[in-house]
Amino acid sequence: WRGVQYFFGGAMSVFTTRSLLGALGVANAGAAEGAAAINWVVKDGAGRLGRFLFARWGRELDCELKQFRLAGDALLEAGALLELSTALAPRFFLPLACTANLAKNVAAVAASSTRAPIYRTFATANNLADVTAKAESVANLADVVGTAAGIAIARANPPVLPTFCLLSLGYLLASRREVDSVVLPYLTSGVIIPIYLVNVYYIERR
């Protein structure tokens, strides 16, 4: 399911990158290359700042692993939508792109922080490194295939917003299925409360 997710993500990146470059004026012969480069660097800097600030809440991720994973993917899609909107409002490229990159970098922290605990649930033979290597290979392959599919779709020149929405929906559905396939070795409230009540019952009987 992570491979399916990365396939849709790779396809979406074609549309978001094209929108960003178009908003910067790269497609126009008279574009100011220096200004475009500065805007791009500022955009990336804002994203890295968000990654640094969100890392302070890293300890909270262990408590709600699946929820943060899903929230990160939803935030990633919101950032991608903001990137797409830069083509509609080139004058506001910098605030839109900075906000989008901030959201995507926070989502990246949530994804990278929850990845190892999720992989650990599949490493039943103490082979975490092997599971990680194979999972990352599948994700990268799916991303490449998805990017190629996105280029092919973009060449057909479909309506951008409906196409993006379909790809985004596929990404989020795959994210949900990915999280549902993980069985965490933790006691949830649905298990802890009945156990607590049973213990109270036997203590009172004694």
Side-chain angles (χ1 to χ4, degrees):
W1 284 112
R2 187 157 184 254
V4 175
Q5 182 184 12
Y6 270 66
F7 171 83
F8 284 107
M12 281 189 301
S13 67
V14 175
F15 292 90
T16 56
T17 303
R18 187 174 66 174
S19 297
L20 287 169
L21 294 177
L24 277 173
V26 172
N28 300 324
E33 296 179 2
I38 291 172
N39 284 342
W40 198 273
V41 170
V42 172
K43 171 186 76 72
D44 287 347
R48 290 188 176 92
L49 178 63
R51 184 183 291 240
F52 172 75
L53 293 176
F54 184 73
R56 295 179 57 190
W57 286 275
R59 185 171 295 180
E60 305 297 328
L61 297 176
D62 290 312
C63 301
E64 301 290 347
L65 200 63
K66 293 185 177 184
Q67 286 81 352
F68 271 106
R69 180 73 177 188
L70 287 173
D73 287 334
L75 193 59
L76 184 69
E77 293 307 293
L81 185 60
L82 283 175
E83 287 182 342
L84 200 70
S85 67
T86 57
L88 301 175
R91 292 176 53 191
F92 301 102
F93 171 83
L94 199 56
L96 286 173
C98 285
T99 306
N101 216 32
L102 186 68
K104 292 179 79 172
N105 274 271
V106 170
V109 173
S112 59
S113 301
T114 56
R115 190 173 300 148
I118 288 175
Y119 285 167
R120 193 179 296 118
T121 64
F122 294 97
T124 56
N126 197 25
N127 58 334
L128 179 59
D130 183 38
V131 170
T132 302
K134 289 175 179 176
E136 294 299 307
S137 297
V138 169
N140 288 327
L141 177 62
D143 186 55
V144 170
V145 175
T147 302
I151 293 171
I153 294 171
R155 284 181 175 175
N157 202 24
V160 175
L161 189 57
T163 304
F164 175 84
C165 289
L166 285 174
L167 294 172
S168 182
L169 180 62
Y171 182 91
L172 291 174
L173 287 176
S175 173
R176 177 69 194 201
R177 293 302 301 270
E178 176 195 14
V179 168
D180 288 342
S181 68
V182 177
V183 180
L184 296 175
Y186 308 134
L187 287 177
T188 63
S189 58
V191 176
I192 293 174
I193 292 174
I195 291 176
Y196 172 76
L197 293 175
V198 169
N199 287 337
V200 169
Y201 172 76
Y202 278 108
I203 289 172
E204 290 180 349
R205 288 287 301 272
R206 289 180 180 180

